[in-house]
């Protein structure tokens, strides 16, 4: 199958305008006749559902939480990027485009990334109009701060609660449409299957998590805005409920998965403190604006960090990457931290952390200024650890966070299944092999507010004359039976090990062998071990309870998908014989531990096609063409 990204003609800066000028439209009378399903109510899903309903389409919105407000976008802290140049420090759309392309190690499409930067200014205006309380300077202007991988201040923020505030803006827009009868929301509903008829997405099968009822829902188009799959590692910054099942079920129906092994480890998380934990806590990357990162120079130093004198501290990011220092990109910062920890210089009870120190910033700016910027983050840190970070360094560590990979989509955000769209972190489109901080909220909002409202109608314009599909179609019955059969299978296994047990085993295996670094040997071992783990899962799984309200049954389906996804992650990493961004193959590095990219053989997006159970997936390649930037060795030194 040939992959067609459907990138518009014209100069880079004109492509999006060219697309909008020639996109097909649906007249207002016909919009009422067309149904759209949106799965997920985070920033991408809520903004998309609200925008399409405002246009007049009939929208069904689904989430597995008890309210749309609990979508995981709420957890994002540090900010959202936009090229408005409020600081007059040289920022512009092209510079933001280049920073993002370079930050992703030249493994993303130029056209998609430029559109992201181009639409960024509109998003800030949209959010301010919704009442999002961005930080302001004394004179009333919106304030900015820096994030990793850039040398300008383009990050707009609302203290350390930017995701929550943006989500409330999208949520109120969604609820307005619900009150007008244009959106019907289904909370506590989990999508378990995609329905494809004549090669097109026509609906979904869901399970009511309160009653256990299996339901059918038909539509003219389906949008997946279900976030990323970082929870495959078990210990991650994601909420416990986050999962990959919606995109994975779509993948098994024909939607290709891309860049699956590109997983971002966030450099500023709280370190694991024991085996009791089910997740890790994110500390905003914005802290790196004023905090300095260091470890003791002497391996095995047992002193409390605040007692280690300045001359015995190794500010390793400032030493290795002087041009960017503590604001080096996430992939580089995370690997550098792991390298120091593995070298025996880690701090904390488990020697698995590095120091994030604010003493210099407090001395220069005063405690009140630091409190003004980060007080809620410092309060959260003290609440969790009992340590006052104004008086001694925070302890931080890399943790699985964001997935650059996801469903393959074209320029229109449509997958390889016509009528199935993927937005936000559910797709692979904008970040390449590494995401720059504060671009996640941006992509989610831009996809939902500004891109999907043009591209989905362009598709629907040709569906007006098509026969109306109802849930009586045999394809819905077949999909429902598949879902019921799987749930019954889980309940009947009758083993002795929980779904959590398998999730933990898989997560540790992936962290060790397909985590911050990988090798041919570790990946081949991981693939075999995952196969064995999956065989054990279907023999030894124990599900307590019945098919009604049952969180263990929910987990079983999600872990079953993770066991398949984890294997594909390793295959993807094994076939990419280079180091790029978050994909660090130990065989491909310089003498001083930097990534060695192979543009001659691997300047493409990997797109994997499901071929069936226990059959190796087929790799398709979308070549990446760079006409506006020069492929260079990525350096932050």
């Amino acid at each position: 199958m040939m992959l067609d990204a459907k990138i518009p003609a014209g100069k880079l800066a004109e492509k999006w305008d060219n697309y909008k000028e020639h996109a097909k439209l649906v007249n207002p009378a016909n919009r009422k006749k067309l149904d759209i399903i949106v799965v997920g109510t985070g920033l991408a899903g809520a903004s998309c559902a609200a925008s399409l309903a405002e246009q007049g389409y009939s929208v069904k919105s689904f989430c597995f939480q008890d309210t749309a407000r609990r979508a995981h976008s709420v957890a994002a802290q540090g900010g959202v990027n936009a090229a408005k140049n409020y600081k007059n420090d040289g920022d512009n759309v092209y510079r933001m485009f280049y920073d993002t392309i370079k930050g992703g190690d030249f493994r993303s499409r130029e056209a998609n990334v430029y559109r992201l930067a181009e639409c960024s200014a509109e998003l800030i205006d949209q959010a301010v109009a919704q009442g999002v309380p961005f930080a302001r300077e004394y004179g009333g202007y919106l304030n900015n701060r820096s994030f990793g991988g850039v040398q300008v201040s383009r990050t707009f923020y609302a203290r350390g609660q930017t995701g929550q505030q943006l989500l409330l803006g999208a949520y109120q827009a969604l609820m307005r449409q619900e009150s007008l009868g244009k959106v019907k929301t289904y909370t506590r509903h989990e999508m378990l299957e995609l329905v494809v008829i004549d090669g097109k997405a026509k609906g979904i099968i869901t399970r009511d998590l309160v009653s256990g009822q299996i339901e059918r829902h038909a539509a003219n188009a389906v949008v997946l805005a279900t976030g990323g799959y970082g929870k495959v590692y078990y210990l991650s910054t994601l909420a416990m409920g986050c999962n990959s099942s919606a995109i994975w079920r779509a993948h098994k129906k024909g939607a290709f998965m891309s860049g699956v092994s590109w997983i971002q480890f966030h450099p500023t998380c709280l370190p694991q403190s024991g085996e009791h934990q089910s997740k890790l806590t994110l500390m905003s990357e914005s802290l790196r604006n004023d905090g300095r990162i260091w470890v003791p120079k002497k391996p095995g130093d047992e002193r409390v960090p605040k007692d280690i004198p300045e001359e015995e501290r190794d500010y390793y990011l400032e030493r290795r990457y002087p041009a960017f220092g503590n604001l080096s990109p996430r992939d580089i910062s995370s690997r550098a931290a792991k390298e120091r920890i593995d070298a025996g210089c880690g701090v904390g009870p488990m020697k698995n952390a590095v120091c994030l120190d604010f003493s210099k910033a407090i001395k220069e700016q005063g405690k009140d200024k630091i409190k003004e910027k980060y007080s809620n983050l410092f309060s959260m840190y003290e609440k969790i650890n009992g340590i006052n970070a104004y008086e001694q360094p925070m302890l931080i560590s890399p943790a699985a966070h964001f997935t650059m990979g996801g469903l393959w989509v074209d320029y229109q955000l449509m997958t390889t299944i016509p009528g199935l769209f993927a937005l936000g972190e559910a797709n692979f489109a904008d970040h390449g092999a590494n995401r720059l901080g504060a671009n996640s909220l941006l992509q989610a909002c831009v996809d939902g507010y500004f891109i999907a409202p043009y591209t989905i109608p362009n598709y629907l314009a040709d569906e007006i004359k098509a026969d109306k599909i109802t849930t009586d179609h045999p394809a819905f019955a077949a999909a429902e039976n598949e879902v019921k059969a799987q749930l019954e299978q889980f309940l009947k296994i009758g083993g002795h090990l929980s779904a959590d047990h398998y999730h933990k085993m898989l997560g540790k295996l992936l962290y060790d062998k397909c985590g911050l670094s990988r090798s041919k040997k570790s990946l081949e071992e991981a693939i075999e071990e995952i196969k064995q783990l999956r065989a054990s899962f279907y023999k030894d799984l124990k599900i307590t309870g019945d098919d009604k309200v049952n969180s263990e049954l929910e987990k079983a389906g999600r872990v079953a998908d993770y066991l398949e996804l984890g294997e594909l992650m390793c295959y993807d990493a094994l076939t990419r014989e280079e180091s790029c961004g978050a994909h660090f193959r130990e065989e491909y590095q310089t003498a001083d531990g930097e990534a060695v990219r192979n543009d001659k053989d691997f300047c493409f997006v990997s797109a994997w096609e499901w071929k069936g159970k226990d059959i190796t997936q087929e790799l398709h390649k979308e070549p990446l063409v760079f006409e506006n930037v020069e492929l260079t060795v990525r350096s932050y030194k």
Side-chain angles (χ1 to χ4, degrees):
M1 173 178 180
M2 291 293 293
L3 291 171
D4 182 6
K6 297 185 175 68
I7 297 171
K11 296 179 180 178
L12 184 64
E14 298 170 356
K15 289 182 183 296
W16 182 227
D17 283 340
N18 285 347
Y19 180 88
K20 291 186 288 184
E21 287 166 4
H22 296 93
K24 298 171 186 174
L25 302 176
V26 180
N27 79 54
N30 283 332
R31 293 174 200 169
K32 301 173 185 176
K33 305 172 186 176
L34 295 168
D35 302 315
I36 302 170
I37 286 171
V38 180
V39 185
T41 58
L43 278 172
S47 60
C48 177
S51 299
L52 291 169
E54 182 71 35
Q55 290 183 2
Y57 295 97
S58 176
V59 179
K60 288 184 177 180
S61 171
F62 294 84
C63 68
F64 63 74
Q65 298 94 341
D66 58 351
T67 169
R69 291 196 312 276
R70 295 197 195 281
H72 196 60
S73 298
V74 76
Q77 297 169 341
V80 56
N81 286 334
K84 275 186 168 288
N85 196 31
Y86 280 0
K87 292 287 188 180
N88 197 27
D89 56 0
D91 200 13
N92 54 54
V93 170
Y94 183 86
R95 191 178 298 278
M96 182 173 174
F97 152 74
Y98 184 78
D99 285 344
T100 302
I101 283 277
K102 177 185 174 183
D105 217 350
F106 303 94
R107 289 294 177 261
S108 50
R109 288 190 204 123
E110 283 187 336
N112 287 67
V113 175
Y114 192 89
R115 179 175 61 183
L116 180 74
E118 184 181 3
C119 293
S120 64
E122 293 180 75
L123 171 61
I124 302 305
D125 298 338
Q126 167 93 4
V128 169
Q130 289 177 331
V132 174
F134 286 126
R136 293 180 182 267
E137 295 179 333
Y138 178 76
Y141 292 102
L142 296 182
N143 205 353
N144 293 123
R145 55 191 176 199
S146 294
F147 257 56
V150 305
Q151 292 179 308
V152 297
S153 296
R154 68 165 64 106
T155 304
F156 294 77
Y157 63 99
R159 295 178 71 188
Q161 307 167 357
T162 315
Q164 179 181 5
Q165 299 302 330
L166 284 170
L167 184 62
L168 287 172
Y171 173 75
Q172 68 185 11
L174 180 66
M175 290 300 100
R176 176 176 179 271
Q177 295 303 319
E178 184 185 48
S179 70
L180 294 172
K182 296 179 181 179
V183 171
K184 183 170 177 56
T185 57
Y186 294 81
T187 58
R188 300 293 289 144
H189 278 68
E190 182 171 24
M191 172 187 160
L192 293 182
E193 191 59 276
L194 177 73
V195 179
V196 178
I197 300 173
D198 297 329
K200 297 180 179 180
K202 290 295 182 181
I204 62 174
I205 304 297
T206 64
R207 180 170 179 266
D208 185 328
L209 300 182
V210 176
S211 67
Q213 186 72 30
I214 305 298
E215 300 175 3
R216 307 176 185 182
H217 298 274
N220 299 94
V222 176
V223 179
L224 300 185
T226 52
Y229 49 88
K231 197 64 186 171
V232 69
Y233 288 93
Y234 190 73
L235 285 178
S236 79
T237 64
L238 279 68
M240 282 301 293
C242 292
N243 63 85
S244 67
S245 289
I247 60 172
W248 191 252
R249 306 291 168 97
H251 173 56
K252 293 172 77 170
K253 282 296 181 76
F256 290 5
M257 289 282 287
S258 282
V260 198
S261 61
W262 289 337
I263 315 287
Q264 181 169 88
F265 284 75
H266 198 293
T268 54
C269 300
L270 299 190
Q272 182 181 1
S273 59
E275 293 299 319
H276 62 284
Q277 285 176 272
S278 58
K279 76 176 298 293
L280 299 172
T281 302
L282 174 68
M283 298 301 290
S284 170
E285 182 180 327
S286 63
L287 293 167
R288 295 201 279 156
N289 273 284
D290 290 299
R292 300 178 72 200
I293 297 171
W294 62 272
V295 293
K297 289 182 178 179
K298 176 185 173 184
D301 197 319
E302 295 293 334
R303 289 175 290 179
V304 176
K306 67 176 182 178
D307 294 337
I308 298 176
E310 188 73 16
E311 62 272 14
E312 296 181 40
R313 300 178 178 186
D314 177 14
Y315 293 91
Y316 58 88
L317 288 177
E318 298 173 24
R319 169 172 56 83
R320 291 181 61 177
Y321 309 102
F324 284 75
N326 298 299
L327 285 173
S328 296
R330 290 179 175 180
D331 58 328
I332 287 172
S333 300
S334 292
R335 277 199 303 275
K338 182 178 186 294
E339 186 272 329
R340 289 290 80 204
I341 291 169
D342 290 348
C345 296
V347 297
M350 297 180 67
K351 301 298 181 186
N352 62 346
V354 300
C355 296
L356 181 61
D357 194 327
F358 290 86
S359 58
K360 185 172 185 284
I362 291 172
K363 183 178 180 181
E364 293 176 352
Q365 302 175 40
K367 181 178 177 180
D368 289 344
K369 189 65 177 177
I370 298 301
K371 187 176 288 189
E372 179 185 321
K373 297 180 189 177
Y374 313 113
S375 61
N376 63 310
L377 296 170
F378 276 63
S379 297
M380 182 171 75
Y381 186 84
E382 184 167 12
K383 185 175 181 180
I384 294 170
N385 294 295
I387 293 172
N388 184 336
Y390 295 107
E391 298 175 358
Q392 55 183 301
M394 289 184 180
L395 302 187
I396 58 168
S397 181
H401 177 59
F402 185 91
T403 52
M404 284 72 69
L407 290 174
W408 183 91
V409 292
D410 61 20
Y411 188 76
Q412 304 176 99
L413 306 185
M414 187 157 68
T415 69
T416 48
I417 300 176
L420 178 67
F421 296 80
L423 275 56
E425 198 179 350
N427 73 37
F428 87 101
D430 292 350
H431 307 297
N434 173 62
R435 175 175 68 78
L436 291 184
N439 269 352
S440 174
L441 295 180
L442 175 63
Q443 185 207 356
C445 291
V446 164
D447 283 0
Y449 284 126
F450 304 123
I451 300 176
Y454 283 97
T455 62
I456 294 175
N458 180 69
Y459 167 79
L460 291 174
D462 293 328
E463 295 298 304
I464 297 168
K465 297 177 182 178
D467 293 335
K468 188 78 170 178
I469 298 294
T470 70
T471 55
D472 294 328
H473 192 285
F476 278 90
E480 181 179 330
N481 289 336
E482 288 177 29
V483 167
K484 288 180 176 178
Q486 186 191 51
L487 295 173
E488 290 171 5
Q489 179 187 17
F490 291 150
L491 289 165
K492 288 178 180 178
I493 291 174
H496 63 283
L497 296 171
S498 68
D500 270 341
H501 167 81
Y502 287 100
H503 195 175
K504 288 179 182 178
M505 293 280 287
L506 175 66
K508 187 176 187 314
L509 191 161
L510 288 173
Y511 183 83
D512 291 342
K513 300 186 176 183
C514 188
L516 278 158
S517 62
R518 305 93 186 264
S519 68
K520 183 176 187 291
K521 180 175 182 292
S522 73
L523 292 166
E524 288 174 343
E525 290 174 352
I527 290 167
E528 290 306 310
E529 289 177 32
I530 291 171
K531 288 178 179 177
Q532 295 170 16
L533 196 61
R534 189 163 64 245
S536 171
F537 176 85
Y538 284 101
K539 184 179 69 173
D540 298 321
L541 176 69
K542 172 69 174 179
I543 300 295
T544 55
D546 55 23
D547 62 352
K548 303 298 187 293
V549 179
N550 192 341
S551 61
E552 291 303 305
L553 188 58
E554 295 167 32
K555 288 179 190 174
R558 296 167 188 172
V559 173
D561 294 333
Y562 277 146
L563 286 164
E564 294 174 342
L565 170 64
E567 186 176 344
L568 180 59
M569 285 168 54
C570 295
Y571 271 118
D572 188 46
L574 185 62
T575 57
R576 188 167 286 276
E577 296 177 345
E578 66 167 350
S579 290
C580 61
H583 169 65
F584 191 76
R585 281 284 295 266
E586 294 168 6
E587 302 94 329
Y588 307 103
Q589 59 178 305
T590 63
D592 57 350
E594 302 301 328
V596 174
R597 212 176 60 231
N598 180 350
D599 294 328
K600 179 177 178 292
D601 300 314
F602 294 96
C603 193
F604 62 81
V605 170
S606 59
W608 294 91
E609 180 183 4
W610 175 265
K611 305 300 288 186
K613 183 181 177 183
D614 296 327
I615 301 174
T616 301
Q617 298 200 31
E618 183 178 351
L619 173 62
H620 301 266
K621 300 176 182 179
E622 180 201 336
L624 290 169
V625 180
F626 293 93
E627 300 174 342
N628 300 275
V629 300
E630 182 182 348
L631 289 171
T632 60
V633 175
R634 182 169 170 246
S635 174
Y636 293 90
K637 295 187 176 184

